[in-house]
Amino acid sequence: MTAATPDRFRGVLVPASTPFKADLTPDSARFNRFCAWLLDEGADGLAIFGTTSEANSVGMKDRMRMTEGLVESGVPAAKLLPGTGTCALADSVELTRHAVELGCGGVLVLPPFYYKNASEDGLYASFAEIIERVGDSRLQLYLYHFPQMAGVGIPMGVIDRLLKAYPQTVAGLKDSSGDWSNTEAVIKNFPSLHTFPSSESRAVDALKIGGAGCISASANINVRAIRALIDVWDKPEADALNAKVSAIRTIMEGYPIIAAVKAVLAAFSGDQEWNRVSPPLTSLPAEKQAALVAALKAEDFSLSMPVSEAA
Amino acid sequence: MTAATPDRFRGVLVPASTPFKADLTPDSARFNRFCAWLLDEGADGLAIFGTTSEANSVGMKDRMRMTEGLVESGVPAAKLLPGTGTCALADSVELTRHAVELGCGGVLVLPPFYYKNASEDGLYASFAEIIERVGDSRLQLYLYHFPQMAGVGIPMGVIDRLLKAYPQTVAGLKDSSGDWSNTEAVIKNFPSLHTFPSSESRAVDALKIGGAGCISASANINVRAIRALIDVWDKPEADALNAKVSAIRTIMEGYPIIAAVKAVLAAFSGDQEWNRVSPPLTSLPAEKQAALVAALKAEDFSLSMPVSEAA
């Protein structure tokens, strides 16, 4: 592309889990400590308020309050890629503007996901209106394609039109479809985009053809190993590291992954406060938690997260 | 049930269309006039901020501002059944509390619709938490079942548990599935609920077995005729009226119905401001608008909505 884009995200980004208090409000203090730890472990960025973060179960005010709190706690805003795409244009604009004004490195934007079978014109307009209304040259927008969960995807034709209209702003894409042929096509068709598959098992495959790394739920529990893999992805030692992170990923995929991530954080840190999800999700049943922990231990998995002090 | 429930909704409720200004903010003045007219035409209630209202494209602040404006304009709050179900518990609580405090006759609540395949425990908890947190005996909650659009429905088991736990609060259900066997089962299994199919073509069928009427998109353009049908549903003249409203409904179903309703309001009132939808929806192409208007005129359809003064 024409302009230098040295600041766009690369490597492993963590869709950081959101801890909830017993009253189901998000726990800012615990979140701040967790995010600082993820960066210490080697995360290249934090995709806060993504699907794994249960963002869509968190109210508008809490999303903004939590992001502000994180920056106030000392986490560099440039490392943050908050999710800001909602069903409603005005809400998406409000969250996006808030993130840009805080200095976030980018935003990850779902299409409006209530009305199904939206046309390409309608989807294009949804993203274009956000960009126009925020109207800030600092905005770096990453498209969030997750058709199975959102019920609405981002077709190639929409990506193409957005890139042509806003080449400096449309910075990347997270492909959570799990459909490698789609990820491959996005990387090949749109080389200026920083494109991230949603699993570390595909990180090296993506990097080989010009992808940017991965943004993965299981990076919440395994970011150090994933970062180590990405640091040497084109070297001979990558194969063994890849096999190891993929084995952990495969175990996690045997469970509802959002609740599984929290169960692992709770079990390995000893901080049971982590083992709480917001409705409509439910925590893993105790026997599944035990089986998950046992399976990870059998792979010599460990977690260095310090036990949180009492909240 | 134990308590008298004289104030629960019955008859025809209109999921009132939301007019948008050129800047895509909702147009409060036009909305107020439209809602007053719908009540004059015979609407038994206004299910504002439903799917047809493009509620999920409207931001949180605008939803509350528009509802307040409507009440301030003189529309009785008791006639209002705003949609207040969002993906996020805190936002649903905020909208629901706001509606209750304004004196609204009820709220129509979608399940949290981002996370798919939610368990019955998770869905039950989502509704129960709203009820508990609002904590107001005036709350009358109508469940909104629309699995095709929301991607998340409300299973019978969840309805049953909610009714047992909150018999005074869980007041009704709108079934937008279009699956008559589901509507029939809800009416028969839960006779205390005021249950509404989403099409006037099924209003009489529902009333015959204890249903409450209908909440229908096309009531935006045909509420007078639907009300006339419901007023005589068990009399011999109902058949002819039913055939007439069903013919109009069938025409509307040939088009994307949210845009089609707005096209009809614009064409028959002469107020082209109505012919604007919010992304991700798109307006009907001109040739489809013309065909729709012609088809309605062939059925002797007319609309008495007065032309709005300039905004």
Side-chain angles (χ1 to χ4, degrees):
Chain A
M1 300 309 297
T2 48
T5 56
D7 295 316
R8 288 184 176 171
F9 287 106
R10 282 196 176 281
V12 52
L13 277 71
V14 187
S17 288
T18 306
F20 292 103
K21 298 181 193 173
D23 69 359
L24 297 179
T25 58
D27 181 341
S28 201
R30 199 167 251 102
F31 186 60
N32 295 346
R33 288 193 298 269
F34 179 58
C35 287
W37 174 74
L38 290 169
L39 291 171
D40 285 347
E41 287 283 291
D44 293 292
L46 301 175
I48 60 170
F49 294 112
T51 297
T52 303
S53 323
E54 298 172 82
N56 292 298
S57 302
V58 178
M60 287 284 293
K61 291 171 185 165
D62 283 335
R63 287 167 76 146
M64 291 187 276
R65 176 179 65 80
M66 293 284 284
T67 308
E68 287 163 22
L70 201 53
V71 174
E72 285 162 13
S73 80
V75 168
K79 294 284 187 190
L80 300 180
L81 181 70
T84 62
T86 73
C87 293
L89 179 60
D91 288 344
S92 300
V93 169
E94 185 174 359
L95 290 177
T96 301
R97 185 179 288 136
H98 180 261
V100 170
E101 287 175 357
L102 276 176
C104 292
V107 293
L108 184 57
V109 184
L110 282 166
F113 53 84
Y114 182 70
Y115 294 100
K116 306 303 187 288
N117 304 313
S119 66
E120 295 207 355
D121 283 349
L123 288 171
Y124 172 80
S126 298
F127 287 107
E129 289 285 350
I130 293 172
I131 294 169
E132 296 284 351
R133 279 151 198 262
V134 172
D136 192 314
S137 62
R138 295 171 294 176
L139 172 60
Q140 291 288 288
L141 187 148
Y142 293 70
L143 301 164
Y144 191 179
H145 178 64
F146 195 175
Q148 296 94 327
M149 188 66 89
V152 179
I154 307 177
M156 293 289 169
V158 172
I159 302 171
D160 189 51
R161 285 171 64 182
L162 286 168
L163 261 180
K164 282 180 175 141
Y166 307 104
Q168 310 303 328
T169 302
V170 179
L173 183 141
K174 178 181 182 193
D175 185 358
S176 292
S177 69
D179 173 1
W180 174 249
S181 67
N182 188 71
T183 310
E184 199 173 20
V186 171
I187 294 172
K188 290 186 173 172
N189 290 340
F190 308 110
S192 73
L193 281 187
H194 286 221
T195 296
F196 298 84
S198 61
S199 167
E200 55 273 34
S201 301
R202 285 296 192 179
V204 172
D205 293 337
L207 288 161
K208 281 180 181 167
I209 58 172
C214 69
I215 304 177
S216 163
S218 38
N220 276 285
I221 61 158
N222 207 26
V223 67
R224 181 191 287 260
I226 299 168
R227 171 63 186 270
L229 165 64
I230 289 179
D231 282 348
V232 299
W233 70 269
D234 55 353
K235 306 215 161 54
E237 58 266 40
D239 285 351
L241 296 175
N242 205 353
K244 213 163 158 56
V245 302
S246 293
I248 299 299
R249 172 76 187 189
T250 300
I251 291 170
M252 297 299 287
E253 287 179 352
Y255 299 84
I257 199 159
I258 302 172
V261 163
K262 286 190 158 177
V264 173
L265 292 174
F268 284 84
S269 74
D271 178 5
Q272 284 303 320
E273 288 296 303
W274 271 103
N275 209 356
R276 187 181 288 123
V277 293
S278 174
L281 301 187
T282 50
S283 297
L284 287 196
E287 68 278 13
K288 290 205 173 181
Q289 292 185 35
L292 170 57
V293 167
L296 290 171
K297 285 184 174 168
E299 291 286 338
D300 289 328
F301 174 83
S302 68
L303 199 74
S304 67
M305 186 168 82
V307 178
S308 292
E309 58 269 38
Chain B
M1 300 308 297
T2 48
T5 54
D7 296 317
R8 288 184 176 170
F9 287 105
R10 283 196 175 282
V12 53
L13 277 71
V14 187
S17 288
T18 305
F20 292 103
K21 298 182 192 172
D23 69 1
L24 296 179
T25 58
D27 181 341
S28 201
R30 198 168 250 103
F31 186 60
N32 295 345
R33 290 194 297 269
F34 179 58
C35 287
W37 174 74
L38 289 169
L39 290 171
D40 285 348
E41 288 283 291
D44 292 292
L46 301 174
I48 60 171
F49 294 114
T51 298
T52 303
S53 322
E54 298 172 81
N56 291 299
S57 302
V58 177
M60 287 284 294
K61 292 171 184 165
D62 283 334
R63 286 166 77 146
M64 293 188 276
R65 177 179 64 79
M66 292 285 283
T67 308
E68 287 163 24
L70 201 52
V71 174
E72 284 162 13
S73 80
V75 167
K79 294 283 188 189
L80 300 181
L81 180 70
T84 62
T86 73
C87 294
L89 179 59
D91 288 344
S92 299
V93 169
E94 185 173 1
L95 290 176
T96 301
R97 185 178 288 136
H98 180 261
V100 170
E101 287 175 356
L102 276 176
C104 292
V107 293
L108 184 57
V109 184
L110 282 166
F113 53 84
Y114 183 69
Y115 294 101
K116 306 303 187 288
N117 304 313
S119 65
E120 294 207 357
D121 284 348
L123 289 171
Y124 172 79
S126 299
F127 287 107
E129 289 285 350
I130 295 172
I131 294 169
E132 296 284 353
R133 278 150 198 263
V134 172
D136 192 314
S137 62
R138 294 171 294 176
L139 172 59
Q140 292 287 288
L141 188 147
Y142 293 70
L143 301 164
Y144 191 178
H145 178 64
F146 195 174
Q148 296 95 327
M149 187 68 87
V152 178
I154 306 176
M156 293 288 170
V158 172
I159 303 171
D160 188 50
R161 287 173 63 183
L162 286 169
L163 261 179
K164 283 180 174 139
Y166 306 104
Q168 310 304 327
T169 303
V170 179
L173 184 143
K174 179 182 181 191
D175 185 358
S176 292
S177 68
D179 172 2
W180 174 249
S181 67
N182 187 71
T183 310
E184 199 173 19
V186 171
I187 294 172
K188 291 186 172 171
N189 291 340
F190 308 110
S192 73
L193 281 187
H194 286 221
T195 296
F196 298 84
S198 61
S199 167
E200 56 272 33
S201 301
R202 285 295 193 180
V204 172
D205 293 336
L207 289 161
K208 281 180 180 168
I209 58 171
C214 68
I215 305 177
S216 163
S218 37
N220 275 286
I221 62 158
N222 207 26
V223 67
R224 181 191 287 262
I226 299 169
R227 171 64 186 269
L229 165 64
I230 289 179
D231 282 346
V232 300
W233 70 269
D234 55 353
K235 306 217 161 54
E237 58 266 40
D239 285 351
L241 296 175
N242 204 353
K244 215 164 155 56
V245 302
S246 295
I248 299 299
R249 171 77 188 188
T250 300
I251 291 170
M252 295 299 286
E253 286 178 353
Y255 299 84
I257 200 160
I258 302 172
V261 163
K262 286 189 156 178
V264 173
L265 292 174
F268 284 83
S269 74
D271 178 5
Q272 284 303 319
E273 288 296 303
W274 271 104
N275 209 355
R276 186 181 290 123
V277 293
S278 175
L281 301 186
T282 50
S283 297
L284 288 195
E287 68 277 12
K288 290 204 173 180
Q289 293 184 35
L292 169 57
V293 167
L296 290 171
K297 285 185 174 169
E299 292 287 337
D300 289 330
F301 175 83
S302 68
L303 198 75
S304 66
M305 187 167 82
V307 178
S308 294
E309 58 268 38

